[in-house]
Amino acid sequence: MTKATDPRAERLPVTLPRLAEMKAAGDPIVMVTAYDHPSAAVAEEAAVDLVLVGDSGAMTVLGYDSTMPVSMDEMLVLARAVRRGLSTPLMVGDLPFGSYEGSNEQAVASAQRYIKEAGCDAVKLERGGASVDRARAIIRAGIPVMGHVGLTPQTATQFGGYKAQGRTADRATQIAEEALALQAVGCFAIVFEAVPAAVTAALVEKLEVPVIGIGAGPADGQVLVFHDLLGIYAGRTPRFVRRYGQLKSEMVEGVSRYAAEVRSREFPADEHTYGIDAEELESFRRYLDQESLASSAWDW
Ligand code: KIV
C-alpha cells in the first residue's frame, strides 16, 4: 500500500462534515464497535472512520444475555476506556435501554453524560416514533445523534425477535418513514440493521445522510460488532457477519498452552526471570540463616 492509498497515513480526526462528504463522494464509511482500550486501539490503528461503543457490549463483554440490562453507568465505564484508545475515528456512545425513552429531559441528560464523562463525539438511539422526539431534543442540546432503524435489539420482542425487518411493503414503508423523520430532526447518519438489501438501496438514494448498514446490504457504510468480526466468541453469528479472524480459538489455545507449561514447569524459563548479584544474594542468605530470624517471626 502506498502512502497515498493507505487510510492510516496522516489521518485527521473524522468529523460530521467529513462523513457527509464521504456520502456525497460515494466513499464507503467504515464503522466498528469497541468496548475497551485494546479494541479501541485496534480500531484506531486499522483506520476506521467511526467507532460505536455499542450496547452490544452488554453481551460481548459484560456477559448479559441481551442488551436490555446494561446501565448507563456500565456503558460509561466502557466508553471511557474506548476514549483513551482513540484519537481519529468519530466516537459514538450507544444510549442503552431505559436511558432515553422516558422523556426528552432524560434523553438529553444521558447524552450529556456520554459527552462530559466519557468524551464521546455523538450518541446513537434506536427506533423512530418517540425516539424521533428524543433525537430532536438531544440535537437541540448541541449533541450529534445517529439513528438506528430496522432490527432494533432493544425492542426486538415487539417485532418478533431477532429477525430481518422491512420484508413487506408496509414494514419497509415504516422503516422509510422512521429514517426520513430521524433525518428531518437532524440525525447525522442512520444505522439500518437486518433490512433487505433492495429496501436499503432504495432508501440510500432518498436519504441525504449516510446510511450505515449491518445486515442491510451495500449502503453508504458498514458496521460490524468487533467480537463477531474477529470471532472472539464461539457459537452462532447472524448471517450478515463475515468473520475476519478466529480469535476465540487462538485465545483458548494460548491460555491452554500457558496452563500446560506452568504445570510442567516449562514456564517461566530463565529468560523470564530477573537476576541478582552473587554477593548480594549471599548476604541475603546470611540474613535468612540468622537464628534470631526464626524466633522473631511471630514477634509482632
Ligand atoms: O450495539 C451495537 O453493537 C449496535 C450495532 C449493531 C449497530 O447497535
Side-chain angles (χ1 to χ4, degrees):
M1 211 179 308
T2 66
K3 204 166 179 194
T5 56
D6 184 350
R8 291 167 294 197
E10 286 155 30
R11 297 193 82 216
L12 292 173
V14 177
T15 59
L16 300 186
R18 175 74 196 121
L19 295 174
E21 275 167 28
M22 289 175 83
K23 162 126 186 165
D27 291 341
I29 297 168
V30 181
M31 173 161 145
V32 69
T33 64
Y35 315 100
D36 56 15
H37 187 268
S39 53
V42 168
E44 176 73 40
E45 219 177 301
V48 307
D49 303 304
L50 287 159
V51 167
L52 173 69
V53 185
D55 65 352
S56 49
M59 299 158 84
T60 55
V61 297
L62 297 179
Y64 292 120
D65 58 9
S66 78
T67 59
M68 313 300 267
V70 72
S71 69
M72 192 65 212
D73 285 338
E74 287 171 309
M75 289 303 300
L76 283 166
V77 172
L78 306 184
R80 283 193 284 264
V82 169
R83 176 77 282 164
R84 292 190 278 269
L86 280 190
S87 48
T88 42
L90 193 98
M91 175 174 159
V92 183
D94 208 3
L95 289 166
F97 180 72
S99 72
Y100 64 97
E101 304 88 333
S103 66
N104 288 349
E105 291 69 28
Q106 184 200 26
V108 171
S110 298
Q112 285 171 337
R113 291 193 71 193
Y114 262 136
I115 308 299
K116 286 169 75 112
E117 296 177 38
C120 289
D121 302 303
V123 299
K124 175 170 89 57
L125 46 62
E126 292 191 4
R127 291 181 305 125
S131 292
V132 176
D133 232 23
R134 307 289 174 260
R136 183 195 285 115
I138 298 170
I139 293 162
R140 284 194 175 151
I143 298 170
V145 176
M146 172 180 269
H148 181 160
V149 299
L151 171 57
T152 46
Q154 292 174 9
T155 40
T157 326
Q158 258 178 30
F159 300 104
Y162 290 80
K163 294 202 316 207
Q165 301 296 316
R167 300 182 88 172
T168 62
D170 274 357
R171 192 57 194 120
T173 304
Q174 195 187 334
I175 290 172
E177 283 171 359
E178 289 176 352
L180 287 164
L182 289 163
Q183 171 176 273
V185 297
C187 286
F188 70 89
I190 304 173
V191 169
F192 276 36
E193 180 166 354
V195 171
V199 172
T200 304
L203 287 173
V204 161
E205 285 189 15
K206 294 270 177 232
L207 288 162
E208 284 160 27
V209 295
V211 171
I212 312 291
I214 175 163
D220 300 306
Q222 295 294 319
V223 56
L224 277 182
V225 166
F226 190 86
H227 288 55
D228 285 344
L229 89 89
L230 291 176
I232 298 182
Y233 63 83
R236 273 166 46 93
T237 47
R239 65 176 278 158
F240 51 75
V241 171
R242 177 176 286 172
R243 285 210 153 153
Y244 293 87
Q246 291 295 351
L247 297 198
K248 168 86 190 283
S249 48
E250 274 193 48
M251 290 194 286
V252 172
E253 157 76 10
V255 176
S256 304
R257 278 181 43 211
Y258 160 70
E261 290 190 4
V262 169
R263 290 181 182 126
S264 69
R265 302 188 189 282
E266 264 176 88
F267 178 83
D270 282 352
E271 68 265 32
H272 307 117
T273 61
Y274 297 97
I276 180 170
D277 190 78
E279 267 178 40
E280 296 297 330
L281 185 57
E282 195 38 48
S283 148
F284 175 59
R285 284 206 170 116
R286 278 199 298 277
Y287 158 77
L288 289 181
D289 288 346
Q290 291 171 91
E291 255 177 41
S292 55
L293 191 67
S295 57
S296 67
W298 297 102
D299 200 15
W300 43 274

